Amino acid sequence: MTRYRHGADLERAIVNYLKERGWEASRSAGSHGKFDVYAIKGNKILLLQVKREISKPKAQELYESFKPYQGPKFCFARVVTRDYKKELSDILLEN
């Protein structure tokens, strides 16, 4: 399986996971933009960069680049990996 296919499968799994929890979610297939998955629920917006694996320095670099997209309790920009259920739990538990 190609790296693209692995990534796309993970993005689809995350979209399905969010939809099962009441979020409107979709992936930005084929784009080379900043975010791979977009989701909205109520007044919350979730912007995700999906990586199967990522080093801590690279993750920190991406988080820094997301600062303009962060809002005060309504917009969350995150890097998520294969551990997305754990990584998104703080946002999903608030609902």
Side-chain angles (χ1 to χ4, degrees):
M1 190 178 293
T2 67
R3 291 176 74 194
Y4 173 82
R5 179 68 184 264
H6 278 295
D9 287 349
L10 180 57
E11 290 169 8
R12 284 187 202 93
I14 291 168
V15 166
N16 289 335
Y17 179 78
L18 291 168
K19 284 182 175 181
E20 288 169 1
R21 282 148 185 81
W23 290 76
E24 291 292 325
S26 65
R27 57 187 286 266
S28 182
S31 82
H32 297 286
K34 190 169 286 281
F35 301 105
D36 301 311
V37 173
Y38 299 84
I40 188 167
K41 183 177 184 181
N43 66 344
K44 292 185 180 179
I45 299 169
L46 186 56
L47 308 169
L48 304 176
Q49 173 60 245
V50 178
K51 300 286 186 196
R52 287 184 58 81
E53 297 176 10
I54 190 167
S55 68
K56 287 189 180 199
K58 181 63 176 172
Q60 186 60 39
E61 180 183 323
L62 283 171
Y63 280 125
E64 291 298 318
S65 74
F66 294 167
K67 282 187 178 179
Y69 303 95
Q70 297 285 20
K73 300 185 180 181
F74 69 88
C75 187
F76 304 90
R78 298 284 172 91
V79 177
V80 292
T81 67
R82 291 178 283 196
D83 295 327
Y84 62 89
K85 292 176 185 177
K86 180 180 176 185
E87 294 164 343
L88 294 174
S89 65
D90 63 322
I91 298 169
L92 300 181
L93 288 175
E94 292 177 10
N95 295 300

